[in-house]
Amino acid sequence: MSSTKAETSHVSKPHQDRLPRHRLRSLAATLQSIHPPAPEPKASSGKITVVCISDTHGTQPALPAGDLLLHAGDLTKWGTFSELQAQLTWLAQQPHKHKVVIAGNHDLLLDCDFPRQHPERWNQAIAAAASESGRLEQEEVGNSAEDLDW
């Protein structure tokens, strides 16, 4: 044990000079002016703004700003191809970073099986839309949800 004490007694402690407080402040100010500290990262609030709409039935209202746009059904009145395409184009033009579209009971074409399983109801929807608009657009016949420009 005596040899351990002898070895540790030969280890010299680092020399520390203590500067007067005013010199420390002056040195710190000089160093800070030469190399300013990095700005604090802006704290994220973790909040997002959700804009939720539904039942637009072919209308295109002005929407408030937000991060997420959620359309919760019934984009259209009759569910036809031209109605859906117009609404999808309108939604695509909105500035929201993220968009979620949920089909409603009026958005018949988004149910891929509906026109095939219920041709009479599908034809009624097309006829009603044509009657309301005064024209039957050729694109209504034979187009499916896969033909929409999302």
Side-chain angles (χ1 to χ4, degrees):
M1 282 198 182
S2 59
S3 63
T4 308
K5 285 185 181 179
E7 291 173 13
T8 57
S9 64
H10 294 304
V11 177
S12 61
K13 292 182 181 178
H15 180 67
Q16 293 181 349
D17 284 329
R18 291 189 162 250
L19 293 174
R21 192 175 296 264
H22 71 281
R23 285 205 171 163
L24 285 174
R25 287 188 192 129
S26 174
L27 178 61
T30 302
L31 289 173
Q32 200 168 25
S33 69
I34 294 170
H35 184 55
E40 289 289 322
K42 190 174 181 180
S44 171
S45 66
K47 296 179 182 178
I48 63 168
T49 302
V50 177
V51 176
C52 185
I53 60 174
S54 70
D55 300 285
T56 52
H57 298 285
T59 63
Q60 298 178 352
L63 300 176
D67 303 303
L68 170 66
L69 173 58
L70 172 65
H71 194 297
D74 289 352
L75 288 144
T76 66
K77 188 171 185 178
W78 302 106
T80 64
F81 182 88
S82 59
E83 283 183 297
L84 276 167
Q85 188 58 69
Q87 290 302 94
L88 292 174
T89 300
W90 169 68
L91 288 171
Q93 294 168 349
Q94 300 308 307
H96 307 81
K97 184 175 180 180
H98 304 284
K99 297 168 183 139
V100 176
V101 177
I102 301 168
N105 64 319
H106 286 251
D107 305 322
L108 303 177
L109 190 65
L110 294 179
D111 178 352
C112 297
D113 296 327
F114 185 86
R116 187 179 70 257
Q117 290 177 347
H118 306 283
E120 71 293 340
R121 288 187 55 208
W122 177 240
N123 290 332
Q124 286 174 348
I126 290 175
S131 173
E132 187 173 281
S133 68
R135 64 190 192 297
L136 175 61
E137 297 190 25
Q138 186 60 36
E139 65 183 3
E140 300 298 349
V141 181
N143 281 329
S144 66
E146 289 83 22
D147 299 314
L148 292 166
D149 182 15
W150 296 76

